Amino acid sequence: MASSSKKQRRSQAVRSQTSNSIANDSQPDGTGVEGRFVEGSIFRLTMKNFLTYDYSVVNPGANLNMIVGANGTGKSSIVCAICLGLAGKAAILGRGDKVGLYVKRGCSKGFVEIELYKTEGNVVIHREIHVENNQSLWMLDGKICSQKAVEEVVKALQIQVSNLCQFLPQEKVGEFAKMSKIELLEATEKSVGPPEMFTYHCELKNFRTKERELENIVKEKASFLEKAKQRNERNKHDVKRYYEKKRHLDVIVLLDQKKPWVEYETTRKELEGVKKERDEAKKQLSALKQAHAPMLKKIQLIENQLKPSEAQIKATTDAIKEASLKCNQKKDQMDRKNKEIENIKQTQKIKQFEAADHQKGISNTRRTIDAFKAELAKVTDQPDVMPQINAVNIELRQIREKRTQIEGEKSDLRRDKDNLHAETKMLERKLRDMNNMMNVKEEKLRGRHRDTHAAIQWLRRNRQLFEGNVHEPMMLVINVKDPRFAKYVENHISFSDLRAFVFQRKGDMEKFMTEVRDKMNLRVNAISAPEVSCSNKQSSRNIESLKHFGFFAYLREMFDAPDEVMSYLCQQYKVHDVPVGNEQTKAMIKRVIEEPYLKVLYTTEERYTLKRSHYSNTISTSNSAVYPSQYLSITVDAKEKLQLEQQMKDCESKLRDIDERLKVLQAEAVTLDRRDNELLAEKKRLSEVKGKKRQLEQKISSKQDSLRQMEQNVIDLQTIEEKTKEKVAAVNQQKVSVVAGIMEQMKLKVKLTMEKVYLTLETVGLMAQKSKMENDCRESASELQTTDQKCIRLEQRKVQLTELCKGLMKKAKSICRMQHDESLPEELRKAFSKLPDTLDDIDTMLNEERSRAECFTGLSENIVDEYKKREQENKDLEKELEDKSNALTSYRQNISEAKERWLNPLKQLVEQINVKFSDFFRSMQCAGEVDLHSENEEEYDKYGIRIRVKFHSSTQLHELTAYHQSGGERSVSTMLYLMALQELNRCPFRVVDEINQGMDPVNERRVFDIVVRTACKETTSQYFFITPKLLPNLKYADEMTVLCVHNGSQMLSPNLWDEKAFIRRSLRRQVKP
């Protein structure tokens, strides 16, 4: 308790509609008290119309401030006021994301005013919050300013409300253990390190990034330079080859220049020879023409005599052809008459054969009739078979009726079987679609949390290891009935529980966690269902009584889940008591929150959480947006799936029954078919016996008719023979006249042939005479023609060579770049003299030089230019590489210096934290360590603080994570780490809200003693410890300030509160027996 010599400071509270009181107990103030406040400590906190407060003034102490009060009285409201009053974001508090939500319900505005201690004069920050536009008005020392100006003042005082090592609100307690080692290091640097430590750390991370960039640049440039040198070394060889090729090309140019001159000289000499040969040929042609003229006149005279004879021969030949044609026609006519006679005789022979066959048929028919009569006599003696045939027909009719019935039943069964097959395919398709939807949910889970997916695969392979029911993560087994409602269920259940495995028995859960978490090192969550099922727990109120507010269902009614899962959700999340409403609910929200038994509710787009004070019955609310569903919107109706699977089994059973019945019917049908065949054979036999007599009588009658017909149609061979002779005589008479015509045409043909022979002999004589003269003339004409052609050819050759000489001269001068009247320069004469003088030699040498030049492929003048250019580039690159290497060396030296400035103080700081942390744990008979962890000393962005704890002697030190330790163990570890920072802290104050909720009484008492010892030292800064309860018989210190928060309609106004009178009454009660 406070010393009596010290002046007490009391919090003031003004009562309005609902009274809130914060009673100050054991708060020292007076001479020297302000000197104990550190720069930036909270000297005064004023709230008006803020959450549960109408108006209240809080005057905290310089050291440990214990804020105690029942749930809902307004303890956390003080935390919210500190955060928002110091320009913190609403998201830090984990309540609502709009500052307007922190104004007391029914008020349009409210304010928070914080006075921060400062040696040269306290700083007063005033924030007025307006609900309508969700805006704030900022004032600094009574002057309006911007939020940025406030943030700069707060930062200058080293206040960090976003740092969990300094400011740990109730909703963020669990997140401290989830911080990574890297995040914890940064938060610690900001909280307790020198101001420049975090700056050095950030600079080092930037330096390391730039160092890596420089290293990459140096490596790239060195690699590029080496490749460039190798490439240019290859080009050097190409340059040598280029010059060698150029020498060959120069020789080729000279050869090309000399070749036209040699061609010109050769052609000129050939032209002189052609001129001489042409003149001699002209003289020889003139002599031959004079000797050839008389012979031509004689040949012309003979040709005139031959023309009449040839005309007569042609006419005679045409007459002979015509006579031959007529003679051949007569011969063809004679052949046709002979053929006609042969046909007449052949017809006669056929008639004779037919008569013989006719007589033979009559004899055969008579013998057949006698045989049928003998057989008919035998058949007449057998008994009547008609009664037997009738009995067979009756049995056949019965068998066919049975077979018809069987076929009808088989047809019905086949139709039923086809329908069942179609139904089975439809059911398989529906089940496949449902399984595909489950696969989609599983793929989403794997993308978000691979460890959980790996654990699912292990569970499916090892499900036989467990005795009770084991359910895969809730998000896979929860089936929302309507996808529209999935967002409510998913917003209500935390993701850590959605991916948690649910076990019916705790022993199974421990076995699972040992295998999966400890052995496989997978981060998974597991839950044990309540021993007594809560899945059918009744709601506090019937939903019908809430429908006038727009509520239409409780969360439990919106989804299906296994009994263990539903039992856990009812116990942990009260899904049976969370109603869901519509837009009407949103519109009536002020009336809705006044309803009893409602703690959490949903409207169309928002979630409301209600807290009711135990004292004043005042309701505080927080709301947040309902985010769209990511996992549960994919729904599969479990009942429908079970129903489909049962229908599949029923269909398969019916198909088996149908197949068995079809086999039975098929066997019966085979038996009936066999009996039917036997009866048909018997009937056929009896029918044959019955019809044999009638058939024989019919056959005898038919044969007798045939015999009579045959006897009537006997062929008369004598008459046929007489008619044949008459026809042959008539045809012979016609042959006589045809033979006379043939003889006449043959005589005419002989006469014309003789005339043609005489004319031909006369013509042959003239032709022989002409042929002899033509042969004599042809010899002289051939020589004349040859000589004439030679003259023409030589003249043409002369013209060609003349033009060729002109062209070659022009070409030669053009190639040598000479003028038309210019002579060959002396330089070329000397160069030409070293080259061959004949075309063959020049061509040979040209081919050799071209072949050698063609061996140097892919070379050009650009190669030489590129070689020289790259040589210069390589020199420039070597200079640039040297500069970069020097810069990298210098940069590394700077990094080494910066590393020493940062790392050495950091190691000392971490060691100091470790000493305090270990001492705290040792005092609790536990073990704990804090160390600086880094996988690579040069990777400054990978440095982190690792917390390792051990709460049981039988276990090893384990790293503090959100998964390995229990909630109470995490709370103890978090609290002791913060206390280890307390004496090193350079921040002006620290806030911890209800961190002791998960601790057992023993640990809570130990932690409380440590907090009091540490936070009440003169060297430590201000500390706010918020708790709804305290254990009895705790040890307190005089430096503590206990702030008791009360709330209720019957509260005494703060200005009437008399602390001394309250203490006197308490002492009197203790003295009384």
Side-chain angles (χ1 to χ4, degrees):
M1 292 297 167
S3 174
S4 59
S5 63
K6 298 179 181 178
K7 182 180 177 181
Q8 292 183 333
R9 300 169 61 235
R10 179 174 296 169
S11 297
Q12 303 295 324
V14 178
R15 181 176 179 181
S16 59
Q17 294 178 355
T18 303
S19 297
N20 295 71
S21 176
I22 303 176
N24 217 21
D25 187 16
S26 299
Q27 168 56 54
D29 194 8
T31 306
V33 173
E34 292 189 0
R36 294 179 61 186
F37 279 88
V38 297
E39 291 273 334
S41 296
I42 297 176
F43 195 77
R44 175 179 55 85
L45 171 64
T46 304
M47 298 170 286
K48 183 177 180 180
N49 296 334
F50 188 82
L51 289 176
T52 60
Y53 293 98
D54 295 329
Y55 180 82
S56 184
V57 179
V58 181
N59 298 109
N63 294 100
L64 176 60
N65 291 274
M66 298 290 296
I67 302 177
V68 184
N71 289 329
T73 56
K75 304 184 303 302
S76 296
S77 299
I78 297 175
V79 177
C80 296
I82 294 173
C83 176
L84 297 179
L86 295 176
K89 304 295 183 184
I92 296 172
L93 301 170
R95 290 192 173 192
D97 53 356
K98 299 177 181 178
V99 293
L101 299 174
Y102 292 86
V103 176
K104 187 171 183 178
R105 185 168 302 280
C107 299
S108 61
K109 64 180 180 178
F111 74 80
V112 175
E113 186 173 277
I114 300 177
E115 183 179 353
L116 301 176
Y117 177 79
K118 201 171 183 184
T119 307
E120 62 270 17
N122 291 354
V123 177
V124 179
I125 299 173
H126 181 94
R127 181 176 190 175
E128 188 175 285
I129 303 171
H130 294 265
V131 176
E132 183 178 357
N133 53 8
N134 202 44
Q135 297 294 322
S136 298
L137 175 66
W138 292 91
M139 298 179 70
L140 194 59
D141 292 334
K143 297 179 181 179
I144 296 176
C145 64
S146 64
Q147 182 176 345
K148 187 175 181 181
V150 175
E151 290 174 351
E152 290 175 355
V153 171
V154 170
K155 183 178 180 181
L157 293 171
Q158 299 180 357
I159 298 173
Q160 305 166 16
V161 292
S162 61
N163 188 340
L164 294 183
C165 287
Q166 180 178 346
F167 193 89
L168 192 61
Q170 179 181 351
E171 284 76 8
K172 297 290 183 177
V173 171
E175 292 187 11
F176 186 88
K178 296 180 182 178
M179 292 174 66
S180 66
K181 295 186 284 292
I182 298 170
E183 293 171 340
L184 184 58
L185 173 60
E186 293 180 355
T188 304
E189 286 177 330
K190 294 176 184 177
S191 179
V192 298
E196 67 276 3
M197 179 177 285
F198 183 69
T199 304
Y200 288 160
H201 191 184
C202 294
E203 288 178 355
L204 271 174
K205 289 190 281 188
N206 294 332
F207 285 163
R208 177 54 182 159
T209 301
K210 292 179 181 178
E211 181 188 13
R212 281 196 291 264
E213 292 175 357
L214 278 174
E215 287 175 349
N216 292 334
I217 291 172
V218 169
K219 288 179 182 178
E220 289 174 2
K221 289 190 177 296
S223 175
F224 184 78
L225 177 60
E226 182 63 25
K227 291 178 181 177
K229 286 182 177 180
Q230 293 176 0
R231 186 166 57 249
N232 223 29
E233 190 63 28
R234 292 195 297 270
N235 290 347
K236 186 176 181 180
H237 177 66
D238 292 340
V239 170
K240 291 181 181 178
R241 293 175 66 243
Y242 171 78
Y243 285 120
E244 187 174 352
K245 178 181 180 181
K246 193 171 183 305
R247 286 194 295 273
H248 290 297
L249 293 176
D250 291 341
V251 173
I252 290 171
V253 170
L254 285 174
L255 288 170
D256 286 338
Q257 288 177 339
K258 183 173 181 180
K259 185 176 180 180
W261 290 102
V262 175
E263 289 176 344
Y264 167 75
E265 187 62 26
T266 303
T267 305
R268 187 185 65 76
K269 291 178 181 179
E270 184 181 357
L271 177 61
E272 294 298 327
V274 168
K275 285 181 179 179
K276 292 179 182 180
E277 188 177 357
R278 184 201 59 180
D279 294 341
E280 293 176 359
K282 282 185 176 180
K283 292 177 182 179
Q284 185 180 0
L285 180 63
S286 178
L288 289 173
K289 284 183 177 180
Q290 292 177 359
H292 189 67
M295 297 176 68
L296 293 176
K297 289 182 181 179
K298 291 182 180 180
I299 291 171
Q300 186 63 38
L301 181 63
I302 293 172
E303 286 179 350
N304 293 336
Q305 293 176 357
L306 282 173
K307 288 180 180 179
S309 299
E310 289 176 352
Q312 290 179 3
I313 289 172
K314 184 178 179 182
T316 304
T317 301
D318 292 340
I320 291 171
K321 288 181 180 179
E322 184 177 358
S324 297
L325 179 61
K326 290 180 179 180
C327 185
N328 290 334
Q329 290 174 350
K330 293 294 183 179
K331 287 181 179 179
D332 293 340
Q333 188 176 2
M334 189 68 179
D335 291 338
R336 287 195 296 275
K337 295 300 180 182
N338 291 333
K339 187 67 175 175
E340 187 176 354
I341 291 172
E342 289 178 1
N343 290 338
I344 293 169
K345 291 180 179 180
Q346 185 67 28
T347 302
Q348 183 182 4
K349 289 180 180 180
I350 290 171
K351 291 293 183 180
Q352 290 173 351
F353 289 142
E354 288 178 356
D357 291 339
H358 189 74
Q359 289 297 329
K360 192 181 294 183
I362 291 171
S363 299
N364 291 336
T365 302
R366 285 174 179 168
R367 283 195 296 274
T368 301
I369 290 171
D370 293 339
F372 285 158
K373 286 180 178 180
E375 189 175 357
L376 179 60
K378 294 178 182 179
V379 171
T380 305
D381 298 334
Q382 292 182 357
D384 188 11
V385 294
M386 198 61 194
Q388 298 179 25
I389 292 175
N390 291 335
V392 170
N393 286 334
I394 291 170
E395 189 174 356
L396 280 172
R397 189 159 51 250
Q398 292 174 349
I399 289 174
R400 285 167 185 169
E401 288 175 357
K402 289 182 180 178
R403 189 161 54 187
T404 302
Q405 291 176 358
I406 290 173
E407 289 299 325
E409 187 176 354
K410 286 170 67 177
S411 177
D412 293 340
L413 289 173
R414 290 192 191 101
R415 184 165 56 254
D416 293 342
K417 186 176 181 181
D418 293 339
N419 293 336
L420 286 171
H421 277 304
E423 185 178 356
T424 302
K425 289 181 180 178
M426 180 187 68
L427 294 172
E428 287 175 348
R429 185 173 64 256
K430 288 183 178 180
L431 284 171
R432 187 166 55 252
D433 293 341
M434 288 184 174
N435 291 331
N436 289 338
M437 293 173 72
M438 291 298 294
N439 290 338
V440 170
K441 291 175 71 174
E442 192 171 325
E443 285 300 317
K444 280 194 173 186
L445 175 60
R446 183 171 68 173
R448 178 75 179 271
H449 208 278
R450 289 187 176 273
D451 284 1
T452 303
H453 185 267
I456 291 173
Q457 303 304 317
W458 182 89
L459 175 62
R460 290 174 180 172
R461 294 192 300 269
N462 301 278
R463 195 177 289 272
Q464 72 280 358
L465 300 177
F466 305 101
E467 299 177 1
N469 294 333
V470 181
H471 301 285
E472 293 181 0
M474 289 188 193
M475 67 171 62
L476 299 182
V477 298
I478 288 177
N479 185 62
V480 181
K481 297 177 182 178
D482 190 331
R484 294 176 301 168
F485 303 147
K487 61 182 181 179
Y488 303 120
V489 181
E490 193 164 322
N491 275 266
H492 194 69
I493 305 171
S494 67
F495 180 72
S496 59
D497 277 351
L498 280 176
R499 64 181 181 84
F501 295 80
V502 181
F503 293 82
Q504 184 183 21
R505 300 186 179 183
K506 290 184 179 180
D508 288 344
M509 183 179 73
E510 292 173 358
K511 184 186 298 183
F512 175 79
M513 296 303 284
T514 300
E515 292 291 334
V516 175
R517 186 178 65 185
D518 298 340
K519 293 183 179 180
M520 298 175 65
N521 199 25
L522 297 177
R523 295 184 302 160
V524 297
N525 291 350
I527 292 168
S528 177
E531 294 182 1
V532 179
S533 177
C534 301
S535 59
N536 296 320
K537 194 172 183 180
Q538 294 298 318
S539 304
S540 300
R541 295 179 62 178
N542 194 304
I543 194 65
E544 295 295 329
S545 64
L546 298 174
K547 282 194 174 180
H548 62 283
F549 291 122
F551 292 111
F552 55 87
Y554 285 107
L555 271 183
R556 182 174 63 183
E557 300 168 8
M558 293 182 171
F559 65 93
D560 294 323
D563 186 75
E564 288 81 4
V565 176
M566 184 65 78
S567 178
Y568 173 78
L569 294 177
C570 287
Q571 183 194 56
Q572 185 69 20
Y573 290 95
K574 311 298 182 189
V575 294
H576 63 288
D577 254 345
V578 178
V580 180
N582 50 28
E583 293 295 339
Q584 180 184 353
T585 311
K586 174 66 175 175
M588 302 174 66
I589 193 64
K590 290 185 179 180
R591 290 179 55 194
V592 171
I593 62 177
E594 296 175 358
E595 285 293 309
Y597 307 111
L598 293 182
K599 294 182 180 179
V600 180
L601 60 91
Y602 286 89
T603 62
T604 305
E605 298 296 337
E606 289 183 308
R607 166 183 170 156
Y608 286 83
T609 303
L610 313 179
K611 290 185 179 179
R612 192 177 303 272
S613 172
H614 292 291
Y615 302 97
S616 63
N617 208 29
T618 302
I619 298 172
S620 62
T621 64
S622 63
N623 67 324
S624 58
V626 175
Y627 299 102
S629 171
Q630 298 182 19
Y631 303 99
L632 300 183
S633 55
I634 303 171
T635 62
V636 175
D637 192 336
K639 291 183 179 178
E640 183 182 356
K641 185 177 180 183
L642 290 174
Q643 186 178 0
L644 291 175
E645 291 173 348
Q646 185 59 42
Q647 290 177 4
M648 279 285 294
K649 292 179 181 178
D650 294 343
C651 289
E652 291 171 356
S653 176
K654 290 178 181 178
L655 284 171
R656 287 194 296 271
D657 294 342
I658 289 174
D659 289 337
E660 291 296 327
R661 182 58 184 163
L662 283 172
K663 289 179 181 178
V664 172
L665 292 174
Q666 183 64 30
E668 292 179 1
V670 170
T671 303
L672 291 174
D673 288 341
R674 189 182 304 114
R675 180 59 182 163
D676 185 75
N677 292 332
E678 293 173 355
L679 291 173
L680 286 174
E682 179 65 16
K683 181 179 177 181
K684 182 178 179 182
R685 186 185 67 77
L686 294 173
S687 298
E688 288 175 354
V689 172
K690 175 188 173 186
K692 193 169 185 180
K693 179 179 179 181
R694 185 170 61 252
Q695 289 176 358
L696 288 173
E697 291 174 350
Q698 291 174 354
K699 287 179 180 180
I700 291 170
S701 176
S702 175
K703 289 296 182 181
Q704 288 176 347
D705 292 340
S706 298
L707 180 60
R708 284 193 295 271
Q709 186 70 27
M710 292 170 66
E711 288 176 347
Q712 290 176 1
N713 294 329
V714 176
I715 297 173
D716 189 358
L717 290 176
Q718 185 176 0
T719 304
I720 291 172
E721 187 176 356
E722 291 176 355
K723 288 181 179 181
T724 299
K725 290 179 178 179
E726 291 176 358
K727 290 178 181 179
V728 170
V731 172
N732 286 332
Q733 189 64 35
Q734 293 174 2
K735 284 173 65 177
V736 171
S737 61
V738 171
V739 170
I742 290 172
M743 295 301 295
E744 183 179 353
Q745 292 299 324
M746 290 184 68
K747 288 178 181 179
L748 178 59
K749 182 178 177 181
V750 170
K751 179 182 177 183
L752 291 173
T753 301
M754 293 302 294
E755 291 178 359
K756 181 179 177 182
V757 170
Y758 293 142
L759 290 171
T760 301
L761 290 173
E762 183 179 354
T763 302
V764 167
L766 292 173
M767 289 295 292
Q769 187 178 357
K770 177 185 175 184
S771 176
K772 183 182 178 206
M773 295 184 69
E774 283 179 347
N775 287 335
D776 295 340
C777 184
R778 191 177 296 114
E779 293 177 0
S780 61
S782 175
E783 187 177 359
L784 178 65
Q785 185 179 4
T786 302
T787 305
D788 186 34
Q789 290 177 352
K790 183 177 179 182
C791 289
I792 294 171
R793 187 171 64 255
L794 289 172
E795 183 65 25
Q796 292 174 348
R797 182 61 180 163
K798 176 218 171 207
V799 173
Q800 290 175 354
L801 290 173
T802 302
E803 293 298 323
L804 183 59
C805 284
K806 293 178 181 179
L808 290 173
M809 175 61 74
K810 185 177 180 180
K811 177 182 177 182
K813 289 185 176 182
S814 175
I815 290 174
C816 296
R817 298 178 181 177
M818 296 169 54
Q819 297 295 328
H820 179 66
D821 53 352
E822 186 181 357
S823 60
L824 189 66
E826 188 63 25
E827 302 177 340
L828 288 177
R829 289 184 185 277
K830 290 181 180 180
F832 287 170
S833 64
K834 298 177 182 180
L835 300 176
D837 295 325
T838 63
L839 286 175
D840 291 341
D841 293 342
I842 288 173
D843 288 338
T844 301
M845 189 172 182
L846 265 175
N847 290 333
E848 290 177 357
E849 294 297 325
R850 282 173 179 160
S851 298
R852 290 171 182 171
E854 286 173 358
C855 292
F856 301 94
T857 58
L859 301 176
S860 66
E861 193 172 353
N862 293 334
I863 293 177
V864 179
D865 296 339
E866 186 177 354
Y867 175 77
K868 294 177 180 178
K869 180 181 177 182
R870 285 182 175 172
E871 278 290 320
Q872 185 60 41
E873 287 177 352
N874 289 346
K875 291 179 182 178
D876 297 339
L877 193 58
E878 286 175 350
K879 181 66 171 62
E880 185 178 354
L881 179 59
E882 183 180 358
D883 294 341
K884 291 293 183 183
S885 299
N886 294 335
L888 179 59
T889 303
S890 176
Y891 205 80
R892 284 174 174 167
Q893 183 63 31
N894 294 336
I895 290 176
S896 178
E897 295 173 0
K899 180 180 178 181
E900 290 180 3
R901 290 196 305 269
W902 170 73
L903 189 57
N904 292 337
L906 177 61
K907 287 181 177 178
Q908 295 174 5
L909 177 63
V910 174
E911 181 58 30
Q912 292 173 5
I913 296 171
N914 179 47
V915 170
K916 294 292 183 182
F917 189 75
S918 300
D919 289 344
F920 291 153
F921 262 87
R922 198 176 299 112
S923 67
M924 296 176 61
Q925 287 79 48
C926 300
E929 290 182 0
V930 175
D931 62 1
L932 187 63
H933 181 266
S934 176
E935 296 177 358
N936 185 349
E937 288 190 359
E938 303 303 322
E939 299 297 333
Y940 305 108
D941 55 345
K942 298 296 191 296
Y943 274 79
I945 287 181
R946 180 173 61 181
I947 300 175
R948 296 191 299 162
V949 295
K950 180 177 75 170
F951 287 90
H952 307 285
S953 59
S954 60
T955 60
Q956 300 293 325
L957 283 170
H958 287 285
E959 186 175 342
L960 180 64
T961 65
Y963 311 102
H964 196 278
Q965 289 79 17
S966 67
E969 290 172 345
R970 291 199 298 269
S971 296
V972 171
S973 303
T974 302
M975 193 67 185
L976 294 184
Y977 183 79
L978 295 178
M979 295 314 302
L981 301 182
Q982 180 66 14
E983 294 187 20
L984 307 172
N985 203 356
R986 64 181 178 85
C987 63
F989 65 86
R990 175 171 285 106
V991 177
V992 178
D993 189 2
E994 297 193 17
I995 197 171
N996 58 335
Q997 290 302 296
M999 300 182 192
D1000 59 81
V1002 176
N1003 284 335
E1004 184 176 355
R1005 186 177 298 276
R1006 291 172 177 174
V1007 170
F1008 184 83
D1009 291 341
I1010 293 172
V1011 171
V1012 171
R1013 281 200 315 271
T1014 306
C1016 290
K1017 293 180 181 179
E1018 293 186 2
T1019 58
T1020 59
S1021 58
Q1022 195 177 38
Y1023 199 98
F1024 290 89
F1025 188 88
I1026 293 91
T1027 178
K1029 62 178 178 63
L1030 288 174
L1031 295 173
N1033 302 320
L1034 294 173
K1035 295 179 181 180
Y1036 296 90
D1038 292 340
E1039 291 78 14
M1040 289 176 58
T1041 299
V1042 179
L1043 300 172
C1044 297
V1045 183
H1046 305 282
N1047 193 333
S1049 58
Q1050 306 301 321
M1051 282 292 300
L1052 183 65
S1053 178
N1055 58 348
L1056 301 178
W1057 173 260
D1058 189 344
E1059 181 181 323
K1060 292 181 179 179
F1062 176 77
I1063 294 174
R1064 285 197 301 270
R1065 286 195 300 271
S1066 298
L1067 292 174
R1068 283 198 298 269
R1069 291 194 191 98
Q1070 293 176 6
V1071 172
K1072 288 180 181 180

